[in-house]
Amino acid sequence: IKIYKASLVNDKWSNVTELPFDSNNYSTAHPALSPDGKTLYFASDMPGTLGQSDLFKVTINEDGSFGTPLNLGNKINTEGRETFPFVNYENEIYFASDGHPGLGGLDIFMSKINEDGTFSPIQNVGADVNSPKDDFAYLIDTKSRRGFFSSNRDGGQGYDDIYKFLETKRLICEQLLYGEITDLVTKELLPDAKISLYDSQFNLLNTTISDEKGNYTFKVECRKTYNIRAEKPEYTTKEEKITIAETNGKTYFPITLEKAKCKVTIGDDLGKCFGIKMIYFDFDKSNIRQEAALDLEKILDVLNQNPTMKLDIRSHTDSRGTFKYNEALSQRRVTSTIGWLIKNGVDLNRLTGRGYGENQLVNNCSDGVKCTEEEHQLNRRSEFIITAL
């Protein structure tokens, strides 16, 4: 089986050509275009296939040429058959498979295509469509929520029949997260504030700017926890956490920002002054954690706004491990923190640093004292002391 393309000229099909990745040694079938027409999805048993047939994608270039086909990977493909892909305007891919857990034969499954090209967890579309027999070739109109699929289920008129449906409940539960940004004291609406949406692991998902009435909106998924960061010049950056409800609908989440009151002087800890958390590290580690990078971005913002400011970065460990090892570990953390700032544009001449090991504990968790992990974590920190303005 091969895939061909043709051109519609004056209501007549012409220029019928075989696609360049077709072969006499394997099949290519069930082509499906992405809504923007830039990607072609198809099924094949070409070399690199994980099962009997897999789903692939290939880029369609502006000049009409094709890139190299890419296997969609083991989140989509199994040792069985994956076939009949369909991608809608909401970046959902539907396909038929007998390799994922289902009701029998080919079942129809769906996955959300993320912005980075990865796939969300696979979902079976359910018994309203799937049956103990083969169900496949699913497609849906995202506006009317009406669609079609094919099946050889009992009660049909032939071997394979086409069925129509109306979707009455969304497969993915989504909500609209919305609110307005206001001044804490004056209650004034704040336009042009930058709002960033992060997942529970502090991965950036989306960014928007509040409109002229201070409003912002994000599409989010039910039952998930998100972190929201709001920032605006002359205001203290604020971060909030929210868990979305379990049903479709809207979640109202207003955010108030406070005017930045802090005036720094030499010797101040920039972190305390601007409400910046200590830069925490995992036990026995010196790499920058994702949530630590969020706070380092705040330090970076202040340095960019104050080009003559210089900082002395001081890193501390907890008491676990030998005194000598902790000194070396804290120095590695200083180096890691300074390296992150330099990588993001800060001149090395503005930064100094030293690792203090376990010399300056903030609590009683010294050698031999039993403490919780949370108490030890308080000692694994970095401080940012202003040395010049």
Side-chain angles (χ1 to χ4, degrees):
I1 303 174
K2 296 180 180 181
I3 301 174
Y4 292 79
K5 72 171 182 177
S7 302
L8 186 63
V9 180
N10 297 325
D11 289 331
K12 292 185 178 181
W13 292 106
S14 62
N15 193 27
V16 178
T17 56
E18 184 179 324
L19 297 195
F21 47 84
D22 288 342
S23 172
N24 292 328
N25 299 318
Y26 55 79
S27 291
T28 55
H30 313 309
L33 280 171
S34 61
D36 62 10
K38 296 180 179 180
T39 305
L40 179 70
Y41 294 83
F42 64 96
S44 178
D45 59 351
M46 65 172 56
T49 301
L50 304 178
Q52 297 176 42
S53 68
D54 283 3
L55 298 187
F56 292 78
K57 68 177 180 179
V58 62
T59 299
I60 303 175
N61 301 315
E62 290 187 6
D63 62 1
S65 62
F66 290 84
T68 301
L70 297 174
N71 190 296
L72 296 192
N74 58 14
K75 203 160 191 177
I76 297 290
N77 295 315
T78 68
E79 295 180 353
R81 290 181 297 161
E82 278 69 47
T83 185
F84 289 102
F86 167 72
V87 180
N88 67 16
Y89 282 91
E90 296 179 343
N91 281 329
E92 296 169 339
I93 182 169
Y94 292 84
F95 61 95
S97 170
D98 61 7
H100 292 281
L103 303 181
L106 288 171
D107 270 18
I108 297 162
F109 297 85
M110 187 277 287
S111 174
K112 189 88 170 180
I113 304 174
N114 302 316
E115 290 186 8
D116 61 359
T118 59
F119 297 95
S120 63
I122 305 299
Q123 291 184 261
N124 187 304
V125 301
D128 289 337
V129 169
N130 289 323
S131 71
K133 298 294 184 68
D134 288 332
D135 308 287
F136 52 95
Y138 180 101
L139 49 92
I140 185 172
D141 176 69
T142 53
K143 292 183 179 180
S144 69
R145 310 312 299 179
R146 296 183 181 276
F148 302 90
F149 67 95
S150 298
S151 178
N152 65 353
R153 64 185 59 197
D154 294 338
Q157 298 181 17
Y159 184 72
D160 292 329
D161 284 9
I162 299 174
Y163 294 81
K164 66 179 180 179
F165 65 88
L166 170 66
E167 184 186 74
T168 56
K169 182 180 179 181
R170 298 297 298 270
L171 196 58
I172 292 182
C173 178
E174 291 185 327
Q175 283 218 11
L176 185 70
L177 177 63
Y178 74 104
E180 64 271 339
I181 313 299
T182 58
D183 185 293
L184 177 64
V185 177
T186 67
K187 311 303 179 184
E188 175 188 1
L189 296 171
L190 298 178
D192 301 320
K194 180 182 178 182
I195 318 299
S196 301
L197 182 71
Y198 299 85
D199 65 15
S200 59
Q201 302 301 313
F202 294 93
N203 296 304
L204 179 63
L205 301 176
N206 205 348
T207 300
T208 189
I209 303 296
S210 59
D211 64 17
E212 67 276 2
K213 294 184 179 180
N215 295 312
Y216 77 91
T217 59
F218 290 114
K219 279 188 176 181
V220 294
E221 292 186 33
C222 302
R223 297 179 293 277
K224 286 194 173 183
T225 298
Y226 296 90
N227 295 283
I228 303 175
R229 181 180 181 189
E231 49 191 321
K232 184 176 175 64
E234 300 182 3
Y235 284 85
T236 300
T237 297
K238 190 172 186 180
E239 289 174 0
E240 300 273 11
K241 179 181 288 188
I242 183 171
T243 299
I244 306 302
E246 296 186 359
T247 57
N248 288 297
K250 297 181 179 180
T251 296
Y252 177 60
F253 195 72
I255 301 174
T256 58
L257 294 181
E258 186 175 9
K259 281 271 191 179
K261 301 175 182 178
C262 183
K263 293 184 179 180
V264 293
T265 60
I266 293 174
D268 287 343
D269 183 347
L270 186 61
K272 290 181 180 178
C273 181
F274 285 91
I276 296 168
K277 300 174 185 176
M278 295 175 181
I279 306 302
Y280 291 122
F281 296 87
D282 288 323
F283 171 62
D284 200 31
K285 302 291 184 183
S286 60
N287 56 297
I288 300 296
R289 294 188 346 191
Q290 287 177 302
E291 59 266 44
L294 286 178
D295 286 334
L296 281 177
E297 287 178 6
K298 301 175 189 177
I299 297 287
L300 183 64
D301 288 341
V302 175
L303 289 172
N304 289 337
Q305 293 171 23
N306 300 271
T308 59
M309 180 183 287
K310 294 184 179 181
L311 294 180
D312 183 49
I313 299 172
R314 302 174 184 180
S315 183
H316 307 267
T317 69
D318 59 37
S319 62
R320 294 177 291 183
T322 67
F323 184 88
K324 183 177 180 180
Y325 177 82
N326 284 335
E327 272 201 336
L329 176 61
S330 63
Q331 188 58 48
R332 292 201 303 272
R333 290 175 173 175
V334 166
T335 302
S336 180
T337 303
I338 291 177
W340 189 96
L341 291 169
I342 292 173
K343 180 182 177 182
N344 286 275
V346 180
D347 194 311
L348 175 60
N349 294 327
R350 301 174 63 190
L351 304 171
T352 57
R354 176 190 164 188
Y356 287 82
E358 57 183 274
N359 279 319
Q360 298 182 4
L361 302 177
V362 297
N363 52 30
N364 295 322
C365 296
S366 55
D367 290 337
V369 177
K370 187 175 181 180
C371 290
T372 65
E373 178 61 30
E374 290 75 17
E375 290 171 325
H376 281 303
Q377 175 115 307
L378 292 173
N379 292 310
R380 301 196 298 271
R381 69 195 190 278
S382 290
E383 298 166 331
F384 301 83
I385 307 303
I386 299 168
T387 59
L389 285 172

